[in-house]
Structure formats: C-alpha cells, structure tokens
C-alpha cells in the first residue's frame, strides 16, 4: 500500500512528528540518509523501536521513499535549516512530479522559503513553509503549526497538520493557514524572538532575587505564586529548573552561565532593522546572550572593576508587577512587527488567529496569550487596549523603581530596563529627534520638515 504522507529527516523533531502522525492513524513513510559508519539503517531501527510505527515504511533510498507515496505526494522535511534544505530539494526533484507538495517544517529563514517556493513553482512543485513550535515533547504530543504558501495547497495537507497539532481551550487545532510566501516561517521567527525576551525576563527576575540573597527554593516559591495571575509554559519549566537537585546541590548552580542561540534571534533582530520597527526588546535579549558567551572577558572585567553591594529595596510584589509590565511590552512589540511585515508584503496575517494557535503546544503559550486572542480582534496596537492600559498604569511605577535599583546596584537587567525605556519613548509626544534631523541637514543636507509648515515640504538650511 502507498503511504499517505512521508517525512524526511529523523532527528529529534522528525522522530517525534513521525510518531505523532502514526499515532493519529496515518500511513506514513519515513526516510533518513545513509552515511556509512555514522547513519546506517536509521529509519529501519527507529521503526522497530516504536509500536505505533509498525505499519510505517522505512527507507534510506530516496527514490524508493518517493515511490512509496500516493500522488500527489506530500512530504514533510525535518532537516537542518540552510543549505541542507536546498541539497535535499535538489535530490528530491529528480523523483517528484507536478503538484507534489513539500512541507519545510524546520526553522528556515522566511526569505529563503519564499525563494524556494518560486524556484519549485517553475517545475510545477508546491513548497509550503511551515513553522513548528513545541520542542521534542510538543512535536510528539501536539505542537503549534504555522503553514504558509499557496492557500489552495494548504487544503490538501490540512488534515495531517491539524490532526497532529495541539488543541486550544475550545478543542480547536493550534494550526492555521498563516498567509502567502514565507509568512509561516516569519511568524515562527518572531515567535522565537518573543521567546528570547520571555526567557531573559525570567532570568533577570532570578538574578535580582539572587542578589538579594534568596535561595533557589525560595525563588521557585516566588515564581510559583505568580502562576495564579501570570502562568506560562516558560514560568512552569523555570520553577522545575530551580528545584532540580543533583544529590544535595541545585543543578542550576552547576550550569555555566553561557547562553547559546541557533540563529532565529539573530534573524529576528535583522528583520526589526529592515522593517524599521522599534521592537527593542528582542535585540536586548539577543545581545544579553552574546554578552554571556564572553565568560573569560567578564571574569577579567570583574577583577578589574569593583561592583557595588546591592542594597536596593525591591519587594516581591514590585518584581511581579515589573515582570507583567515588561511582558506586555514584549508581546506588543512582537505582534506590531508581524503586523508591519504583513502589511508590507500583503500577507493578510490574522493576528488574533495567530495568538490563538500560540495558546497551545508552543514555547510561548501562556494565560496572557489567551487574553490576546480577544484583544487583537479589537486593535492590533495592544498599547491601546483598555485592559492593558489599566495594567500598565498600575505596574509602571514598580518597574521604574526596579530599573533604578538595578542601575544603582549594578545588576544587568537589559530587558526589564529597556521595556520601561521603550514605553517612555512611546508615550513621549515630542522627542529630541528634531536635533538629530538638524544635525543630518547640517553635515549632509538631508533636509527636514517644519512644525510651522503643514504642507509637508522638506527644507534645507545653510548652517
């Protein structure tokens, strides 16, 4: 019998997704490359390890794998983003036929996805860029899925993707058609940027409590108390991490303070600059990771420069309020960036629907995200939402106090500080950019507009 759908690439995510598909009753074929001495009989061995894969067809020959699929073929790629995707597509084209559909479920750059769509379309092939979030567990039990490309092609793969996706509070799949071109990979990229900030904010709250002498167990208890109002997947796993012991010692205390990244935060930061959007928190979180990586330089600086003893008075309620305030700014910036890109490219992304599929399965799922589903129906600018305005006004003073205490106490808290700094700029009617524009005109004759000229005409002065 021919398989309904095939999957290429049996890494962590590929294995979990293939098991998920099989568990939902789909007849599948799985493929993994053959590399002598390194990757041999991977698909066969994997199939034999899991009961749900007993009907699956395993391959390490690409031509035989493609032949095993019913037409038009539907193939999910779960390979490393970048040149590997192009190499696999190049090999696949020899065996594919017009109207076959290839679904890239990796973290590819959205512009590369758009390019691949155009190149394959010439040969009558359909390419779908599909963001998948949830990690290994999410991929197995139900991820959030963000497909994009030809809308009519989505209807042909919809039943597979929606079947394996997580479910929201109403039982609907956390999968929806995002838009044209590489929009699915774009929103996944920004999802990861929001994730960077959410992780950094929790790390900064942890750092502040640590500097106050709070134990890991007590920090976990503080975070546990936040779950009633501010619950999220990342908050939950942070509590677990804080409580994890190795013998009598906390494991977290043994982990080197060097944070890595796989590139999506970099791409998101470049996109922020390309779209001219003031989404300042994602770069702050990314650069915090970069700074952490230079451990040796930080150790040298720590020996050279003295550090003040932290004596600031920060209450747990103030910290909770500050965390809530900063999260609002983070989500506001992320969705505003997606809206800007969607308008520029004509993607027509439904922000409310996007928030809905991020309420389950993905890394940034939270109670707050559930609220955003309704908020984004009313206004894409979250800072204009009446509910959030009330919270911002109620928590603003707390974050101002904490930002000042962090600066005075020399605690590195870039995202907490930047969130209030961004807000101050956002609500400032008159910024000093008039001076910058005058400077630009002085040295480069870049011209400027005048507040006393409503025509919008540009002026130049011989300074």
């Amino acid at each position: 019998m021919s398989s309904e759908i095939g999957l290429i690439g049996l890494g962590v995510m590929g294995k979990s997704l293939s098991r998920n598909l099989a568990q939902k009753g789909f007849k599948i074929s799985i493929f993994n490359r053959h590399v002598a001495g390194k990757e041999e009989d991977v698909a066969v061995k994997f199939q034999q390890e899991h009961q749900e894969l007993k009907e699956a067809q395993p391959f390490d020959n690409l031509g035989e794998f493609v032949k095993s699929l019913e037409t038009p073929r539907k193939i999910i790629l779960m390979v490393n983003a970048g040149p590997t995707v192009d190499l696999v597509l190049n090999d696949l084209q020899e065996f594919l036929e017009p109207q076959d559909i290839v679904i890239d479920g990796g973290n590819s750059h959205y512009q590369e996805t758009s390019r691949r769509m155009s190149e394959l379309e010439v040969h009558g092939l359909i390419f779908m860029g599909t963001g998948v979030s949830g990690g290994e567990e999410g991929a197995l039990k139900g991820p959030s899925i963000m497909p994009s490309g030809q809308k009519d092609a989505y209807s042909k793969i919809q039943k597979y993707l929606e079947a394996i996706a997580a479910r929201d509070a109403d039982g609907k799949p956390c999968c929806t058609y995002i838009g044209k071109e590489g929009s699915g990979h774009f929103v996944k990229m920004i999802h990861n940027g929001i994730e960077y900030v959410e992780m950094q904010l929790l790390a900064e709250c942890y750092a502040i409590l640590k500097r106050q002498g709070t134990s890991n167990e007590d920090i976990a208890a503080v975070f546990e108390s936040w779950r009633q109002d501010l619950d999220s997947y990342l908050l939950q796993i942070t509590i677990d991490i804080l409580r994890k012991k190795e013998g009598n010692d906390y494991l977290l205390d043994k982990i080197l303070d060097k944070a890595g990244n796989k590139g999506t935060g970099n791409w998101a930061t470049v996109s922020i600059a390309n779209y001219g959007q003031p989404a300042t928190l994602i770069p702050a979180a990314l650069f915090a990771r970069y700074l952490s990586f230079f451990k040796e330089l930080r150790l040298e600086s720590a020996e050279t420069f003295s550090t003040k003893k932290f004596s600031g008075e920060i209450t747990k309620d103030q910290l909770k309020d500050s965390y809530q305030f900063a999260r609002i700014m983070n989500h506001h910036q992320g969705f505003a960036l997606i809206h800007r890109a969607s308008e520029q490219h004509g993607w027509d992304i439904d922000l409310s629907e996007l928030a809905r599929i991020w309420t389950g399965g993905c890394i940034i799922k939270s109670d707050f995200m559930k609220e955003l589903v309704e908020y984004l129906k009313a206004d894409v600018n979250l800072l204009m939402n009446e509910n959030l305005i009330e919270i911002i006004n109620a928590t603003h003073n707390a974050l101002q106090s904490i930002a000042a205490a962090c600066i005075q106490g020399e605690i590195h808290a870039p995202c907490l500080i930047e969130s209030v700094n961004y807000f101050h700029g956002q609500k400032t009617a008159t910024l000093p950019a008039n001076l910058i524009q005058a400077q630009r005109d002085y040295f480069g004759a870049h011209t400027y507009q005048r507040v006393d000229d409503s025509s919008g005409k540009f002026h130049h002065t011989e300074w």
Side-chain angles (χ1 to χ4, degrees), residues 81-138:
T84 302
V85 176
D86 290 311
L87 290 172
V88 173
L89 288 175
N90 186 61
D91 291 341
L92 264 177
Q93 283 188 64
E94 178 184 346
F95 308 105
L96 297 180
E97 297 174 332
Q99 298 307 303
D100 286 349
I101 302 172
V102 181
I103 306 153
D104 181 6
N107 275 334
S108 292
H109 192 284
Y110 72 101
Q111 292 176 330
E112 290 290 281
T113 297
S114 296
R115 171 183 62 79
R116 290 167 184 141
M117 286 179 183
S118 298
E119 291 176 352
L120 291 176
E121 190 175 8
V122 173
H123 303 284
L125 302 174
I126 300 169
F127 190 71
M128 302 289 289
T130 303
V132 179
S133 175
E136 179 181 6
E137 183 178 358

Side-chain angles (χ1 to χ4, degrees), residues 38-77:
K38 292 184 178 180
E39 298 180 48
E40 297 182 343
D41 299 322
V42 173
V44 171
K45 292 175 183 176
F46 175 60
Q47 184 219 19
Q48 293 171 349
E49 291 170 0
H50 299 282
Q51 179 64 22
E52 64 264 39
L53 294 175
K54 65 179 181 179
E55 300 297 327
Q57 300 188 70
F59 296 93
D60 61 6
N61 179 286
L62 194 59
E64 294 301 314
F65 164 79
V66 174
K67 284 181 185 179
S68 74
L69 301 173
E70 65 181 28
T71 57
R73 300 173 183 88
K74 295 164 282 291
I75 299 172
I76 300 174
L77 293 188

Side-chain angles (χ1 to χ4, degrees), residues 291-306:
L291 182 62
S292 77
F293 202 76
F294 289 88
K295 176 72 173 179
E296 294 75 17
L297 181 59
R298 288 189 288 113
L299 288 171
E300 184 180 356
S301 297
E303 291 180 2
T304 304
F305 303 102
S306 61

Side-chain angles (χ1 to χ4, degrees), residues 143-437:
S144 176
I145 306 177
M146 300 149 253
S148 66
Q150 293 182 22
K151 191 168 186 178
D152 58 345
Y154 176 63
S155 64
K156 299 173 184 176
I157 60 172
Q158 183 174 357
K159 71 174 183 178
Y160 306 104
L161 299 186
E162 292 189 357
I164 64 174
R167 291 296 183 268
D168 67 12
D170 296 323
K172 294 173 62 179
C174 291
C175 173
T176 193
Y177 175 74
I178 299 298
K180 296 180 291 185
E181 300 174 339
S183 56
H185 278 142
F186 181 85
V187 298
K188 176 54 165 59
M189 177 182 72
I190 304 307
H191 164 288
N192 287 16
I194 294 171
E195 175 187 312
Y196 271 49
V197 179
E198 294 292 286
M199 294 169 71
Q200 179 64 27
L201 288 172
L202 284 166
E204 292 173 19
C205 291
Y206 157 77
I208 290 168
L209 290 168
K210 269 290 193 182
R211 283 286 292 273
Q212 289 185 313
T214 312
S215 68
N216 286 13
E217 185 60 43
D218 287 342
I219 295 174
V222 171
F223 288 173
E224 187 77 58
S225 71
W226 293 2
R227 290 190 60 192
Q228 184 174 350
D229 304 315
L230 304 171
D231 201 16
S232 71
Y233 171 76
L234 284 170
L235 183 62
Q236 292 169 23
I237 70 167
T238 301
I239 293 166
D240 291 343
I241 290 166
L242 283 160
R243 288 178 171 160
K244 181 70 174 179
K245 283 191 172 182
E246 192 175 70
N248 294 322
D249 301 320
Y250 288 103
L251 177 58
L252 182 58
D253 296 338
K254 295 185 175 182
I255 296 176
L256 185 65
D257 57 327
K258 292 172 70 172
N261 73 90
K262 288 191 173 181
T264 49
N266 308 39
W267 295 347
T269 298
V270 171
S271 292
I272 288 165
N274 287 340
Y275 290 108
Q277 191 72 16
T280 56
L281 287 168
I282 293 174
L286 174 67
F287 296 146
R289 292 197 187 190
Y290 287 168
L291 182 62
S292 77
F293 202 76
F294 289 88
K295 176 72 173 179
E296 294 75 17
L297 181 59
R298 288 189 288 113
L299 288 171
E300 184 180 356
S301 297
E303 291 180 2
T304 304
F305 303 102
S306 61
T307 300
K308 293 179 182 177
K309 183 179 176 64
F310 181 71
S311 58
E313 290 294 328
I314 294 177
T315 68
K316 294 178 177 61
D317 285 341
Q318 282 181 314
L319 191 60
K320 178 184 176 182
D321 286 349
S322 299
Y323 174 63
Q324 186 175 19
F325 180 101
R327 292 187 71 219
I328 291 172
M329 296 302 144
N330 179 29
H331 287 74
H332 157 66
Q333 289 186 358
F335 279 102
L337 176 59
I338 292 169
H339 180 63
R340 177 69 173 267
S342 178
E343 282 198 319
Q344 184 166 321
H345 295 289
W347 289 336
D348 297 321
I349 297 175
D350 184 334
L351 296 186
S352 174
E353 180 68 357
L354 179 60
R356 185 193 66 77
I357 69 168
W358 285 350
T359 61
C362 71
I363 304 301
I364 61 173
K365 63 182 179 181
S366 67
D367 287 349
F368 182 46
M369 191 67 75
K370 294 175 184 177
E371 296 171 8
L372 295 184
V373 176
E374 293 302 317
Y375 295 169
L376 286 164
K377 288 179 181 178
D379 197 330
V380 296
N381 182 0
L382 292 174
L383 294 189
M384 292 297 102
N385 180 273
E386 291 182 0
N387 299 281
L388 296 183
I389 289 172
E390 184 177 345
I391 296 171
I392 290 167
N393 286 331
T395 57
H396 179 216
N397 288 340
L399 184 48
Q400 284 194 108
S401 297
I402 283 195
C406 286
I407 292 171
Q408 290 293 326
E410 300 183 9
I411 296 177
H412 184 239
C415 283
L416 283 171
I417 293 171
E418 179 50 39
S419 66
V420 75
N421 189 47
Y422 164 79
F423 178 65
H424 290 168
Q426 182 68 34
K427 70 186 186 77
T428 299
T430 304
L431 290 168
N434 56 333
L435 177 57
I436 293 173
Q437 198 61 16

